């Protein structure tokens, strides 16, 4: 009798611990996206409409995402890298060729974003959001417009400037200030950028290096000037009337973030369903309005609040885009950038 009870108990325990239902990869996807980069209700609606459960994880920078994707052993079904990282992932053969027959909403994407340099036939990536890198500033605190990168290095803004803890963005805009390309392969030019950034810190101008928290510091009036991505500026300006955004005259970076499926994905079918859902005009419009970033989805634009679309931070004109460069994969130059970045951020 005791044996029977013990057996029954063991059976019950086994049933409870496996939850009766074996993990069903076909009904789950793991999505790896940037912080603050989706309307959370869109995720709920996706789950409800498709019956697919989303395990949602976030990263702060491309470099952070790339390391987790390639080194942690974790498997992701959909990932949201920027242009230059997609370029690298394609070169390293890390991505699945997309099945276009399942991506019917791709036709909603602007023509010019259907053929980006880094993936000219959109074989591996679908566009998600795009924008610029620029300066968000509090006009009441600065008392002047910020239109040049040099102003972020001016001692009159001691302890007032937030820089980005993001290797390409911070080094990139400093290179632009000095008149160089954001993709430079010249060590002399890189050293000049390094010296400028080290001096900016030594002079006490940098209040903090941050990423997603920079917009909050600007909203709360904790700092006067921040290096930000355009969508974070649009978001922040919605909370504080004293905030302005500019893309400095020396030029900057224009970027496009995509959605890709890594070869290590477990649910390629579900990943396609998710990517196609993100490109549905109503969904793209909701995400864009919620996060403040510009959608590459032409059909979504007419669904977005007119005031937002009219904002030059959201919708930069050709002249602004014309003075911006795209980032490219650095290839064998990357270790040199990384060494310089360590020297800048070490102390
Ligand atoms: C938002 C992330 C924006 C990505 N937190 C810029 N490429």
């Amino acid at each position: 009798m005791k044996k029977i009870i013990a057996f029954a108990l063991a059976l019950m325990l086994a049933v409870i611990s496996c939850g009766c239902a074996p993990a069903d990869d076909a009904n789950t996807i793991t999505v790896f996206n940037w912080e603050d980069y989706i309307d959370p209700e869109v995720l709920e609606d996706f789950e409800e409409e498709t019956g697919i459960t989303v395990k949602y994880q976030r990263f702060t920078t491309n470099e952070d995402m790339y390391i987790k994707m390639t080194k942690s052993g974790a498997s992701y079904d959909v990932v949201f890298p920027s242009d230059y990282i997609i370029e690298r992932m394609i070169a390293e053969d890390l991505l699945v060729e997309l099945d276009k027959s399942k991506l019917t909403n791709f036709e909603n994407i602007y023509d010019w974003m259907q053929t980006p340099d880094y993936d000219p036939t959109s074989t591996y990536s679908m566009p998600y959001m795009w924008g610029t890198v620029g300066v968000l500033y509090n006009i009441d605190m600065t008392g002047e417009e910020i239109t040049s990168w040099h102003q972020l290095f001016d001692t009159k803004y001691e302890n007032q400037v937030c820089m980005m803890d993001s290797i390409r963005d911070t080094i990139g805009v400093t290179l632009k200030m000095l008149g160089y390309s954001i993709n430079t392969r010249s060590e002399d030019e890189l050293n000049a950028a390094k010296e400028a950034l080290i001096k900016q810190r030594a002079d006490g101008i940098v209040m903090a290096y941050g990423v997603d928290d920079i917009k909050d510091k600007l909203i709360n009036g904790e700092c006067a000037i921040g290096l930000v991505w355009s969508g974070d500026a649009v978001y922040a300006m919605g909370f504080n009337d004293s905030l302005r955004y500019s893309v400095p005259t020396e030029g900057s970076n224009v970027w496009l973030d995509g959605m890709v499926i890594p070869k290590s994905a477990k649910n390629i079918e579900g990943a396609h369903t998710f990517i196609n859902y993100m490109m549905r005009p109503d969904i793209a419009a909701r995400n864009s309005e919620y996060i403040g970033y510009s959608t590459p989805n032409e059909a979504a634009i007419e669904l977005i609040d007119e005031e937002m679309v009219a904002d030059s931070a959201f919708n930069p004109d050709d002249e602004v885009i014309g003075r911006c460069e795209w980032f490219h994969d650095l290839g064998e130059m990357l270790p040199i950038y990384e060494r310089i970045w360590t020297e800048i951020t070490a102390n």
Side-chain angles (χ1 to χ4, degrees), residues 5-75:
I5 291 175
F7 179 74
L9 273 176
L11 196 70
M12 263 170 62
L13 265 179
V15 168
I16 290 167
S17 63
C18 87
C20 289
D24 185 1
D25 282 342
N27 274 323
T28 303
I29 53 170
T30 305
V31 172
F32 200 25
N33 194 1
W34 299 78
E35 290 282 355
D36 304 334
Y37 218 31
I38 198 163
D39 176 347
E41 284 180 14
V42 160
L43 282 178
E44 288 170 24
D45 290 353
F46 172 81
E47 292 188 319
E48 209 165 287
E49 285 177 44
T50 63
I52 299 173
T53 303
V54 179
K55 284 193 203 149
Y56 192 75
Q57 297 182 25
R58 302 170 186 81
F59 58 84
T60 21
T61 64
N62 277 302
E63 287 67 28
D64 165 33
M65 172 274 298
Y66 178 84
I67 288 185
K68 289 201 179 108
M69 181 181 137
T70 54
K71 303 273 185 325
S72 74
S75 149

Side-chain angles (χ1 to χ4, degrees), residues 4-300:
I4 294 174
I5 291 175
F7 179 74
L9 273 176
L11 196 70
M12 263 170 62
L13 265 179
V15 168
I16 290 167
S17 63
C18 87
C20 289
D24 185 1
D25 282 342
N27 274 323
T28 303
I29 53 170
T30 305
V31 172
F32 200 25
N33 194 1
W34 299 78
E35 290 282 355
D36 304 334
Y37 218 31
I38 198 163
D39 176 347
E41 284 180 14
V42 160
L43 282 178
E44 288 170 24
D45 290 353
F46 172 81
E47 292 188 319
E48 209 165 287
E49 285 177 44
T50 63
I52 299 173
T53 303
V54 179
K55 284 193 203 149
Y56 192 75
Q57 297 182 25
R58 302 170 186 81
F59 58 84
T60 21
T61 64
N62 277 302
E63 287 67 28
D64 165 33
M65 172 274 298
Y66 178 84
I67 288 185
K68 289 201 179 108
M69 181 181 137
T70 54
K71 303 273 185 325
S72 74
S75 149
Y76 303 105
D77 297 301
V78 181
V79 181
F80 290 66
S82 297
D83 36 60
Y84 68 99
I85 295 285
I86 297 177
E87 185 182 346
R88 175 174 186 185
M89 289 173 169
I90 294 172
E92 293 175 350
D93 199 22
L94 295 175
L95 304 179
V96 167
E97 277 194 35
L98 302 174
D99 180 348
K100 296 273 186 58
S101 71
K102 299 194 171 109
L103 301 170
T104 49
N105 291 324
F106 182 51
E107 63 180 30
N108 299 321
I109 302 297
Y110 283 113
D111 283 347
W112 71 276
M113 297 203 205
Q114 290 194 8
T115 56
D117 269 4
Y118 56 87
D119 183 14
T121 45
S122 292
T123 303
Y124 302 96
S125 63
M126 292 283 120
Y128 181 62
M129 295 286 163
W130 73 286
T132 54
V133 174
V135 195
L136 180 64
Y137 58 99
N138 184 318
I139 188 81
D140 295 339
M141 292 169 82
T142 58
E144 62 172 350
E145 305 294 344
I146 305 293
T147 55
S148 163
W149 294 120
H150 285 285
Q151 291 168 281
L152 278 67
F153 292 75
D154 188 332
T155 45
K156 85 182 211 205
Y157 291 119
E158 192 180 337
N159 205 26
Q160 289 295 317
V161 178
C162 285
M163 296 298 284
M164 246 198 248
D165 189 5
S166 173
I167 177 169
R168 296 298 304 270
D169 296 292
T170 287
I171 295 182
V173 301
T174 311
L175 288 165
K176 285 312 249 188
M177 170 178 83
L178 299 169
Y180 306 138
S181 163
I182 56 175
N183 297 299
T184 188
R185 307 181 91 76
S186 151
E187 285 199 47
D188 286 347
E189 293 179 3
L190 279 168
N191 278 325
K194 178 182 87 178
E195 294 310 327
L197 286 163
I198 288 177
K199 181 165 190 306
Q200 185 197 32
R201 292 189 73 187
D203 286 346
I205 298 166
V206 179
M207 179 198 199
Y209 265 83
V211 183
D212 303 294
D213 52 329
I214 297 180
K215 59 178 176 308
D216 303 314
K217 288 204 167 71
L218 267 297
I219 291 172
N220 301 333
E222 282 171 60
C223 75
I225 301 176
L227 177 62
V228 297
W229 296 303
S230 47
D232 280 11
V234 172
Y235 179 88
M237 289 187 292
F239 288 94
N240 183 333
D241 287 343
S242 306
L243 298 180
R244 306 258 191 289
Y245 180 72
S246 87
V247 176
T249 48
E250 299 94 352
S252 185
N253 165 240
V254 56
W255 50 265
L256 177 56
D257 293 340
M259 297 175 278
V260 301
I261 307 179
K263 282 204 163 151
S264 55
K266 294 206 174 100
N267 186 350
I268 291 180
E269 179 72 32
H272 279 89
T273 308
F274 184 84
I275 292 174
N276 201 39
Y277 191 82
M278 291 299 123
M279 294 191 293
R280 217 171 78 182
D282 58 324
I283 298 300
R286 278 169 63 191
N287 279 334
S288 192
E289 276 197 339
Y290 187 91
I291 63 180
Y293 282 84
S294 313
T295 174
N297 196 307
E298 191 167 15

